[in-house]
Amino acid sequence: MRKILIATHATYAEGIRAAAELILGKQPAITTICAYTEGVFLEEELEEYFGACAPEDEVVVLTDLYGGSVNQACMKYMDRPGVHLLTGVNLALLLQVITMEEGEELREAVKEAREQVSYVNETMTAMVNDDFADL
């Protein structure tokens, strides 16, 4: 079974899950860890989470910041079979991971999510310039 763990600094994990569920409905396969909030001890939460996973589970871990403390703590679980660690989570990436079939290539989800990051001012200016170039 594919499980998704979103682990981030503060409450970003809960917020991005809420946004995804607004779009796609309730997602029981998602667990969140809001690190460094009151009563949340990251290392303990991770131990508890991975301890409850079955050996055959595929676990996609999404963190907020490459090299950040949350990402570093999650890196300890990468040697476990079926664990995939993705960082720089945004809503586009989360939606891709939720909707893809188990076993599909996660690299493609990362690539598609990257394409969603755009400087819209520049994009719109280029579009307008292209429209007028034909006149």
Side-chain angles (χ1 to χ4, degrees), residues 44-91:
E44 292 174 20
E45 296 275 335
L46 288 170
E47 280 294 320
E48 183 178 324
Y49 177 80
F50 282 102
C53 289
E56 65 274 7
D57 286 337
E58 177 185 30
V59 181
V60 180
V61 182
L62 303 167
T63 66
D64 52 356
L65 186 62
Y66 181 75
S69 57
V70 176
N71 185 252
Q72 289 180 38
C74 292
M75 289 174 80
K76 297 173 186 168
Y77 297 91
M78 288 174 35
D79 289 340
R80 232 181 116 120
V83 172
H84 308 276
L85 178 57
L86 311 177
T87 193
V89 65
N90 59 28
L91 185 56

Side-chain angles (χ1 to χ4, degrees), residues 10 18 23 32 36 46 54 57 82 85 90 97 104 108 118 130:
I23 296 166
T32 59
Y36 312 115
L46 288 170
D57 286 337
L85 178 57
N90 59 28
V97 171
E104 277 190 69
E108 194 60 33
S118 178
D130 286 347

Side-chain angles (χ1 to χ4, degrees), residues 108-125:
E108 194 60 33
V110 171
K111 179 182 173 198
E112 289 180 29
R114 278 187 187 138
E115 291 172 3
Q116 293 293 315
V117 177
S118 178
Y119 181 33
V120 178
N121 294 40
E122 186 176 88
T123 304
M124 295 306 296
T125 299

